[in-house]
Amino acid sequence: MKILHYLKSIFKNRKAGLWTGLLLILLYAFDLIFSSNGHLTEVGTWFSDGKKWLLTFFLLVISYYWEKDKMRSLGIKLPSWQGLALIPVVTITIILAQQFIGRPLIDLFGGETDRSALIFIQSLPIYQQVIIVLTAGITEEIIFRSYLIERFEELTKSTTVAVTVSIVFFVGVHIPAWGIATGILQMLIALIMALTYIWRRNIFVPIGAHLLLNSLGVFLSKTQ
């Protein structure tokens, strides 16, 4: 009975739910970093996408039922027309930042972007490419943008710390598969997406920009 009482007290503790969510993200990040090469197979991508959706589901459940927060606390609310209009603007801003800031930095340090992961994705069946784009655009924004930013902002009382943590996690999980040089480009994506989220507090704006950016990269870029 004491154990049951203890468990009930934990599930009534909002901070316990918050730390559980952050721990799940940390475990997921470590798994992604140390097993990223295994994802570059057709079966591996299914498992990778499945884990992203599963983590996102758990974070939403923890937020709503354990932390007792409404979905609005994670920026999950209908965007305004102004927010929707921002999606292509944010996407273009990222592309320009990568071209005029990211590329020169990569050249300065003598780096070269690794396109092997993109080439692999483009070799997959079109339906799987669509699923990969949708999965990354939706789940990564909820995991690394809204949840991390909102929860670290609550813990540290600092938006700067929250944004920094968000960027570190986002870039960190992409480097193993995409390379250090590409990490510079990912850092620009993470920064602009984070600032967009902080500005609008609506996750659907960065989700839309992420989906558009990934669609351009996967379906329109020529790597084969």
Side-chain angles (χ1 to χ4, degrees), residues 63 70-77 86 90 140-153 159 162-163 166 189-207 209:
S63 178
K70 295 180 179 179
M71 292 295 98
R72 291 177 66 88
S73 72
L74 295 179
I76 301 177
K77 53 188 176 182
L86 269 179
V90 173
E140 289 181 7
E141 291 305 316
I142 293 175
I143 296 168
F144 299 115
R145 226 74 66 197
S146 66
Y147 194 89
L148 275 182
I149 288 176
E150 294 289 353
R151 297 311 181 247
F152 265 94
E153 193 174 47
T159 302
V163 168
S166 171
I189 293 174
L191 176 60
I192 294 171
M193 292 291 197
L195 293 177
T196 300
Y197 178 74
I198 291 298
W199 178 26
R200 304 299 301 185
R201 296 289 174 172
N202 190 312
I203 196 56
F204 286 107
V205 179
I207 282 177

Side-chain angles (χ1 to χ4, degrees), residues 129-147:
Q129 294 181 42
V130 172
I131 292 173
I132 289 172
V133 167
L134 289 173
T135 298
I138 297 171
T139 65
E140 289 181 7
E141 291 305 316
I142 293 175
I143 296 168
F144 299 115
R145 226 74 66 197
S146 66
Y147 194 89

Side-chain angles (χ1 to χ4, degrees), residues 51-63:
K51 283 185 284 189
K52 288 180 181 179
W53 283 110
L54 192 61
L55 175 58
T56 302
F57 171 76
F58 279 132
L59 291 178
L60 294 178
V61 169
I62 288 172
S63 178

Side-chain angles (χ1 to χ4, degrees), residues 126 156 166 200 216 220 222:
I126 188 66
T156 65
S166 171
R200 304 299 301 185
L216 293 173
L220 295 184
K222 302 296 182 181

